[in-house]
Amino acid sequence: MPGCRAARWSRSTQSFTLSKQAVQKKLEKLGLRTRTDFVLHLPSRYEDETALTALDAVPPGIPVQIEAKVERAEIAYRPRRQLIVHADGVVLRFFNFYGSQVKQFRRAAEEGLRVRAFGEVRAGWFGAEMAHPRYRIVREGEPLPDALTPIYPTTAGLSQAKLRERVLQELDSAQLDDTLPDALRRRYALAGFAESVKLLHRPPPGADLASLAGRSHPAWRRMKFDELLAQQLSMRFAYRERRTRQAPALPGNGPLLKSLFKSLPFKLTRSQSRAAGEVLRDLAVAHPMQRLLQGDVGSGKTIVAAIACLAAVDAAWQAAVMAPTEILSEQHVRKFSEWLAPLGVRIAWLHGGLSRTQKKEALAAIAAGKAQVAIGTHALVQEGAEFKRLALAVVDEQHRFGVQQRLMLRKKSGTAVPHQLMMSATPIPRTLSMTYYADLDVSVIDEMPPGRRPVKTRLFSSARRGEVLTRIRDACAEGQQAYWVCPVIEESKEGDVQTALDTFDKLKKELKDIRVGLLHGRLSAAEKAAVMDDFTKRKTQLLVCTTVIEVGVDVPNASLMVIESAERFGLAQLHQLRGRIGRGASTSDCILLYDEPLSDLARDRLKVIYESNDGFKIAQRDLELRGPGEYLGARQSGDPLLRFADLERDAGLVEAAKEAAEALIGSDPDAARAHVERWLSSRRELGHT
Ligand code: ADP
Ligand code: MG
C-alpha cells in the first residue's frame, strides 16, 4: 500500500508543471492565439483580496480573505481522499490536489509561514473550515495587493496565475490604438480603448467592484460598444459587398406573372401585395437579393414565393424552393402545382420517395433547364442538383437554421449569386434583427388572409385527460379532425418516436370509433406522404404525431389540437403548432396538456402562450425568458456570438452601435475596417469579407 501511494504522488507531481506545448494547447482551447485575443480575453469577475477578514468576524456565505499560520498538512482517505491543512484557527480542505501542494504546505509549516486563503468560511468538524480556497503562502507582514484581482475564464489544468501572467504580458506589448475617431467617442461618451482594457485587466486601487462585477463600469461599456459595433459593421460590409456582385435581372412584367395574377383563387392581402412588390423590385436589379420574408404562421408567404419564382421563369431562368422537411416540400409542390402548373410551368419535386431512375431523371431535367422550378428539402436541392440557369433560391422556414448556419451559407456562395428569398414564421425580436439580420432586407406580412378564426387556447393538467378525449369524440362526431402532438424527449433521439407509438396504441384503444393515424420522423418519405394524404382526405380523423407537423402543414378541416406535455416545448414551437389549426370554417381549440408539478418558469411560459396569439409578442417573451440561443443557433455550436454585450440588457447600446456603424462606414471606412479586424479577425468569423 505505501508503495502504491508513493507512485500516485509522484505521478501527480509530474503533471503539476505543464509543458510549454500543453500550455499552448490549453490557450488555444480558450481561443487565445493572437495578441489581440489575449487583450480581449477579459476577466469574468473580480475578487477583492485587498483586505483581510479576522476569523472571528467572518460574515456567513460571503467569500473573504483570511490569513493564518500553517501548522500541519495531512492526507486523509475517509470519507474520500483529501488534503487537510491545519492552520491557526482554520482548516483548509482540498479534494483535488497535487503532491507538490502537500510538500508546499509541509514546508510552510516547518518554516513558520502563513497561508492567505480566499473563499467562503464555514463552521465544520474542527471549527472554521474552507473547502478549495484559492490560496497563497506568505511571510508574516507581507503587504496585501492594493487592487482587485481579476479572475479569467480558464480551462481545467491552466491556473489563474499562469493565465493572468500571460495575458498581462501580451497586454503590455500589444498595440492598443483606438479604432474609433475622437468625435465618435465623444458623441457616445465612450472611454478610450487602451485605458479600458488596461483597467479591466489591472483594476487600479479603489476601482469600484460593484460596477466591474455588474459590467456597468465605463470600461465595460466601451468593450460592449466595440463588440456590437464590430458586429454591425461586419453586417454592413457584407451588405455592401453584395451590391458589387452580379445576379440576373428579372424584370417581373412577363406574361406568366400576369396570368397568375388573373387566375389566383383569392385576392392578395395588402401586406402580401406589398411584400411581393418589394421582392419583385429587388429581383429586377442585377445584384443578388437577400430578403427575409417574415409572416406569422398562415399569413400566406407561399404565394409570395410562387410569384418570385414566376418572375424567374418569365425571364427564362430557374428557381429552387427549399423546405426543411419532406412533408413541407410536398405541400409546396401541391400549392405550386395548383397555381403554376396550369400556366405550363414545369415543376420538379426532389424527394426521398423517388426511385434511382426517377431521381436521375429529375436531376437531368433540372440540369438541362427543362424543369423550371425545383422543390425539395435543403439537402436534396443543395447537394444533389446542378441547375442550368438558377436565378432564385427560396429558403422556407429559415428560422430552423440558426444565424450561424445562415452566415456560413453566405460565405460559401461563389461569385455568380442567385437571388435569395428566405421565409420565416418565427418573428425575430427587434434587438436580434438589428444585429444578426442587419445584412438582410426584410419584408413583413402582418395580417392574416380573410376568414381566419382565432384559435382558443386552453390549459389542462394531464389529470383531465378524460375530458380531452370527450372533446376529440365530439369534434370527430361533427365531422372535424384533430391533431395529438407528442413531445420530443430530449434524452434520447428515438424517445419521441416511442412516445408517439405508445400514445397511438393507447388512443386507439381509448377512442374505439375513431380512425387514428400516426406520423413520426422514423417513417420513410413515402409513408409520411401516405399518412398525410389519408388525413387530408379525411380517411383518418385523429392524427397522432411528433413535431414533424410543426411547420407548414395545411389541413383546414382540422380544428382541434392537443399538445401533450406542452411545458416541454419552446414557445415559438407551440405557436407554430397552434398555427396548424384555425384555418377552416369552424372555431378551433388548442389544448395544452401539462404535467404537474410545473416549475415557475414553465408556468410563466405557458401563460405567455395562453394569453397571446401574437407571434411577435411571443417571440419577444421567449427571448426574455430563455435568452437568444434558440434564434441564434448558438446552442448547437457552443460558441456564443457575443461575448460581452447582452442583447436584452444592453439594448440601448445596440441602438447606439447601429447608428455609429452607419456614421463610421461613411465617414471613415478605414477605421471601420480596422475595428472589424480587431474584434472579429480571429474569432469564429461572422462572415465579414
Ligand atoms: P404560411 O405563411 O404559414 O406559409 P401559407 O402560404 O401556407 O402560409 O398560407 C396559408 C393558407 O392561406 C394557404 O392555404 C393559402 O393558400 C391561403 N392563402 C394565402 N393567401 C391568401 C389570401 N390572400 N386569401 C385567402 N387565402 C390565402
Ligand atoms: Mg409556409
Side-chain angles (χ1 to χ4, degrees):
M1 270 306 277
C4 180
R5 205 181 306 163
R8 189 168 340 148
W9 269 34
S10 62
R11 218 182 308 132
S12 344
T13 315
Q14 276 165 13
S15 67
F16 190 49
T17 39
L18 288 172
S19 71
K20 252 199 164 128
Q21 246 176 344
V23 170
Q24 197 58 33
K25 260 217 173 108
K26 292 197 182 287
L27 291 174
E28 275 179 24
K29 196 170 158 204
L30 291 170
L32 302 178
R33 287 173 210 93
T34 68
R35 186 153 286 158
T36 309
D37 293 338
F38 283 94
V39 171
L40 297 180
H41 191 68
L42 297 172
S44 52
R45 62 194 172 87
Y46 297 86
E47 279 174 359
D48 187 354
E49 298 176 355
T50 61
L52 291 176
T53 304
L55 271 167
D56 53 11
V58 168
I62 295 171
V64 292
Q65 181 169 238
I66 57 101
E67 187 180 306
K69 190 161 178 284
V70 180
E71 288 166 346
R72 66 196 154 86
E74 65 192 25
I75 296 174
Y77 291 88
R78 240 160 266 200
R80 56 187 277 210
R81 185 170 177 268
Q82 56 186 287
L83 167 62
I84 301 178
V85 177
H86 296 267
D88 184 12
V90 64
V91 165
L92 316 182
R93 285 179 195 277
F94 300 88
F95 297 106
N96 297 303
F97 58 95
Y98 296 107
S100 56
Q101 285 172 286
V102 184
K103 285 188 197 152
Q104 182 191 30
F105 278 113
R106 289 195 170 146
R107 201 174 317 125
E110 274 165 28
E111 295 175 11
L113 297 177
R114 307 168 68 83
V115 61
R116 251 179 218 164
F118 190 96
E120 225 175 278
V121 181
R122 289 181 202 186
W125 194 255
F126 302 100
E129 276 200 10
M130 294 171 93
H132 273 285
R134 272 190 319 107
Y135 72 92
R136 235 153 64 81
I137 302 293
V138 295
R139 290 179 190 285
E140 182 157 15
E142 192 161 308
L144 286 160
D146 58 3
L148 297 173
T149 312
I151 308 294
Y152 291 94
T154 186
T155 179
L158 183 62
S159 73
Q160 276 299 324
K162 184 147 222 120
L163 179 57
R164 184 179 314 144
E165 181 188 298
R166 183 67 192 278
V167 168
L168 294 180
Q169 191 185 325
E170 300 286 348
L171 178 73
D172 289 337
S173 38
Q175 273 282 349
L176 301 175
D177 301 352
D178 213 302
T179 45
L180 304 187
D182 289 348
L184 197 146
R185 276 176 43 197
R186 271 198 305 275
R187 168 124 200 241
Y188 295 101
L190 295 167
F193 177 76
E195 118 200 27
S196 298
V197 281
K198 283 182 190 160
L199 186 141
L200 293 172
H201 286 297
R202 281 200 190 95
D208 176 33
L209 179 59
S211 68
L212 282 175
R215 299 202 170 184
S216 58
H217 192 282
W220 272 124
R221 188 168 167 271
R222 170 64 200 260
M223 292 299 113
K224 293 175 181 183
F225 181 88
D226 273 21
E227 179 177 48
L228 290 166
L229 180 68
Q231 159 65 30
Q232 290 285 338
L233 288 170
S234 90
M235 289 287 172
R236 275 177 178 68
F237 280 128
Y239 189 91
R240 295 190 154 204
E241 192 259 350
R242 181 149 55 82
R243 310 299 293 177
T244 67
R245 298 205 202 166
Q246 291 299 305
L250 312 170
N253 55 3
L256 290 172
L257 208 45
K258 283 188 185 142
S259 325
L260 177 73
F261 283 126
K262 270 191 219 137
S263 65
L264 264 188
F266 47 72
K267 194 167 165 288
L268 293 184
T269 61
R270 275 229 322 273
S271 18
Q272 279 174 319
S273 298
R274 191 184 52 224
E278 286 164 353
V279 169
L280 289 177
R281 205 184 52 215
D282 280 2
L283 292 177
V285 179
H287 301 300
M289 165 178 84
Q290 257 181 33
R291 188 168 279 278
L292 175 66
L293 178 58
Q294 269 187 26
D296 212 341
V297 196
S299 61
K301 297 181 290 295
T302 319
I303 185 65
V304 178
I307 288 169
C309 290
L310 215 47
V313 177
D314 253 335
W317 288 82
Q318 291 169 291
V321 179
M322 297 181 266
T325 64
E326 293 249 318
I327 290 187
L328 195 55
S329 84
E330 197 206 337
Q331 302 249 344
H332 286 322
V333 169
R334 235 192 279 145
K335 294 271 165 200
F336 274 61
S337 306
E338 185 188 322
W339 296 325
L340 306 189
L343 308 175
V345 176
R346 292 180 302 274
I347 299 167
W349 181 26
L350 289 170
H351 61 99
L354 296 178
S355 71
R356 285 223 344 234
T357 357
Q358 285 171 321
K359 191 172 168 193
K360 241 172 130 178
E361 274 170 20
L363 289 174
I366 293 169
K370 278 190 206 141
Q372 293 158 302
V373 178
I375 301 178
T377 62
H378 299 77
L380 279 172
V381 176
Q382 276 168 351
E383 290 160 22
E386 293 277 351
F387 288 80
K388 184 158 182 239
R389 276 162 71 77
L390 182 66
L392 169 68
V394 177
V395 185
D396 196 12
E397 307 294 348
Q398 85 90 32
H399 67 275
R400 286 250 172 147
F401 312 89
V403 164
Q404 272 177 349
Q405 282 116 305
R406 181 173 69 75
L407 296 179
M408 299 266 278
L409 234 148
R410 189 171 80 193
K411 292 193 87 182
K412 261 196 216 150
S413 58
T415 41
V417 201
H419 298 284
Q420 252 193 57
L421 178 64
M422 285 155 275
M423 306 200 286
S424 175
T426 301
I428 301 156
R430 186 178 144 69
T431 39
L432 262 181
S433 66
M434 265 166 52
T435 37
Y436 294 109
Y437 293 84
D439 60 330
L440 298 181
D441 295 301
V442 180
S443 294
V444 179
I445 303 184
D446 52 9
E447 64 190 311
M448 287 287 169
R452 233 12 95 69
R453 302 235 181 171
V455 176
K456 281 210 193 93
T457 302
R458 298 167 198 283
L459 292 173
F460 276 37
S461 126
S462 52
R464 292 170 68 190
R465 189 186 155 96
E467 280 173 62
V468 176
L469 296 182
T470 308
R471 278 180 179 251
I472 293 177
R473 281 194 205 96
D474 293 347
C476 291
E478 287 170 23
Q480 285 157 22
Q481 290 169 282
Y483 296 102
W484 187 291
V485 186
C486 307
V488 171
I489 310 292
E490 289 270 352
E491 302 82 58
S492 80
K493 242 185 163 171
E494 299 282 290
D496 51 332
V497 175
Q498 194 53 51
T499 320
L501 292 172
D502 295 344
T503 309
F504 176 65
D505 287 340
K506 198 164 159 199
L507 285 172
K508 260 198 319 197
K509 283 188 202 119
E510 289 167 328
L511 301 165
K512 282 236 161 59
D513 310 324
I514 288 174
R515 300 184 299 278
V516 189
L518 173 64
L519 185 68
H520 59 71
R522 218 197 289 151
L523 298 179
S524 73
E527 287 167 327
K528 277 187 212 159
V531 172
M532 274 320 287
D533 201 47
D534 282 349
F535 192 60
T536 313
K537 295 195 175 130
R538 307 191 192 184
K539 282 187 195 158
T540 47
Q541 297 163 287
L542 174 66
L543 185 63
V544 176
C545 51
T546 53
T547 50
V548 291
I549 65 141
E550 181 189 338
V551 285
V553 173
D554 188 19
V555 181
N557 192 50
S559 62
L560 177 62
M561 174 174 284
V562 180
I563 304 177
E564 209 175 340
S565 305
E567 72 277 6
R568 298 195 194 187
F569 291 81
L571 286 188
Q573 204 177 18
L574 287 174
H575 182 63
Q576 287 263 323
L577 284 166
R578 187 170 59 178
R580 303 298 115 225
I581 54 175
R583 301 183 157 219
S586 47
T587 50
S588 297
D589 284 323
C590 178
I591 299 177
L592 305 178
L593 276 176
Y594 59 87
D595 300 319
E596 306 256 36
L598 277 181
S599 70
D600 287 346
L601 178 63
R603 196 171 293 278
D604 283 349
R605 295 177 60 234
L606 288 179
K607 200 162 155 254
V608 172
I609 208 81
Y610 173 72
E611 285 174 352
S612 180
N613 236 320
D614 176 339
F616 276 87
K617 250 190 221 148
I618 292 170
Q620 186 60 40
R621 282 295 288 148
D622 206 15
L623 180 72
E624 287 158 19
L625 290 170
R626 283 204 305 183
E630 283 295 304
Y631 298 92
L632 298 177
R635 227 176 38 170
Q636 292 103 304
S637 73
D639 179 17
L641 294 171
L642 287 172
R643 288 182 285 165
F644 307 127
D646 178 296
L647 286 182
E648 285 308 291
R649 232 181 15 226
D650 302 317
L653 276 183
V654 177
E655 299 271 359
K658 179 176 180 244
E659 193 185 277
E662 260 151 41
L664 190 62
I665 215 163
S667 66
D668 196 344
D670 289 342
R673 289 258 170 223
H675 187 80
V676 170
E677 187 64 22
R678 169 174 281 163
W679 278 88
L680 300 180
S681 62
S682 64
R683 282 267 128 192
R684 172 110 4 109
E685 293 189 312
L686 293 175
H688 77 280
T689 48

